[in-house]
Amino acid sequence: MRPIIYAANWKMHLPPEDARQFAVSFRDGVGTLPGRTLWFFPSAVSLEAVCQAFRNRPDIRVGAQDVHWEPRGAFTGATSIPLARGAGATGALVGHSERRHVFLETDAETGRKVRALVEAGLTAMLCVGELLGEREAGQTEAVCMRQLRAGLEGVSGAAWDQVLIAYEPVWAIGTGRNATPADAAEVHRAIRAELARLGAPRSVPVLYGGSVNLGNVAALLAERDIDGVLVGGASLDPAGWAQLVSVLPA
Ligand code: PGA
């Protein structure tokens, strides 16, 4: 059985000391959970503290929330892959909707980031998802497929093992409105079909994100095509997150 993936996106929260305390209390309070892989995406300044706390936990991975494709240079404010790796990260989110819609990151830029990550031996979690207007206009699949194709351009062979996809409908992020499990699963099936067309093996995980919480996680994971969850708001409280990752598919 493939592991279920629970990923925490801490966004612009939890400074280093709070992040370290969270990680240490989680590590000491929650033992290895069979059949589960956990990811934490702290802010860049808190990466090292979290990586240190989890360094002896192979079931827990830590990634950056964004990286630049260039390894170094004059890119004020950006985090390179070598910098993230130096802090202990083994992967990164790419193309989160806030990167796309707040920071106006393009599809082409997401592709450069995914390629740079896999070439460097790190894992990329590529996020895709439609805006509310796009959903209402019946463009959900077209938008997600376009983002997938651009984000995964050039990925082939063994590099697929370093790729995860997160489907996050933008209208469901941080709003308390989540896609119904059946609606999400329908998009997941379309994503899987596109992944197959791109040559990806069935083992590439496809996660759902957008207002996932303790009340809806079991039903979402019960869908055969949903391999895990990417969680923002409900991952910020250590006790709540410990409870959420203990939930198995309904
Ligand atoms: P949310 O965020 O769980 O707060 O909706 C999810 C995300 O942005 O990854």
Side-chain angles (χ1 to χ4, degrees), residues 9 11 96-98 168 172-175 209-212 230-234:
N9 174 11
K11 307 194 182 191
H96 186 277
S97 71
E98 287 140 27
E168 297 201 303
I173 294 178
T175 58
S211 295
V212 174
L230 176 57
V231 186

Side-chain angles (χ1 to χ4, degrees), residues 103-162:
F103 297 98
L104 306 183
E105 184 170 312
T106 65
D107 289 345
E109 287 169 341
T110 66
R112 295 181 81 168
K113 292 177 181 189
V114 171
R115 282 194 296 283
L117 280 161
V118 298
E119 278 165 19
L122 275 71
T123 296
M125 186 179 288
L126 174 69
C127 305
V128 300
E130 81 286 3
L131 296 162
L132 184 58
E134 292 168 334
R135 170 160 282 251
E136 287 171 349
Q139 293 168 351
T140 298
E141 287 191 13
V143 169
C144 294
M145 301 312 117
R146 190 197 74 223
Q147 293 174 343
L148 273 183
R149 282 193 294 270
L152 298 172
E153 200 187 315
V155 176
S156 65
W160 287 116
D161 294 344
Q162 294 158 248

Side-chain angles (χ1 to χ4, degrees), residues 61-224:
R61 303 206 36 198
V62 183
Q65 294 176 7
D66 180 42
V67 286
H68 198 282
W69 55 86
E70 291 291 347
R72 67 191 65 79
F75 299 100
T76 300
T79 304
S80 71
I81 294 168
L83 288 173
R85 190 187 358 229
T90 61
L93 294 174
V94 176
H96 186 277
S97 71
E98 287 140 27
R99 299 302 316 169
R100 293 178 189 270
H101 300 294
V102 181
F103 297 98
L104 306 183
E105 184 170 312
T106 65
D107 289 345
E109 287 169 341
T110 66
R112 295 181 81 168
K113 292 177 181 189
V114 171
R115 282 194 296 283
L117 280 161
V118 298
E119 278 165 19
L122 275 71
T123 296
M125 186 179 288
L126 174 69
C127 305
V128 300
E130 81 286 3
L131 296 162
L132 184 58
E134 292 168 334
R135 170 160 282 251
E136 287 171 349
Q139 293 168 351
T140 298
E141 287 191 13
V143 169
C144 294
M145 301 312 117
R146 190 197 74 223
Q147 293 174 343
L148 273 183
R149 282 193 294 270
L152 298 172
E153 200 187 315
V155 176
S156 65
W160 287 116
D161 294 344
Q162 294 158 248
V163 171
L164 297 90
I165 307 297
Y167 167 57
E168 297 201 303
V170 182
W171 48 270
I173 294 178
T175 58
R177 285 181 64 184
N178 67 301
T180 66
D183 283 347
E186 193 182 325
V187 183
H188 278 233
R189 278 191 290 279
I191 289 173
R192 285 211 183 286
E194 188 63 27
L195 286 172
R197 279 192 286 276
L198 294 172
R202 176 70 175 76
S203 53
V204 172
V206 185
L207 281 60
Y208 170 80
S211 295
V212 174
N213 58 37
L214 208 49
N216 58 27
V217 65
L220 286 160
L221 291 175
E223 293 289 341
R224 205 172 54 89

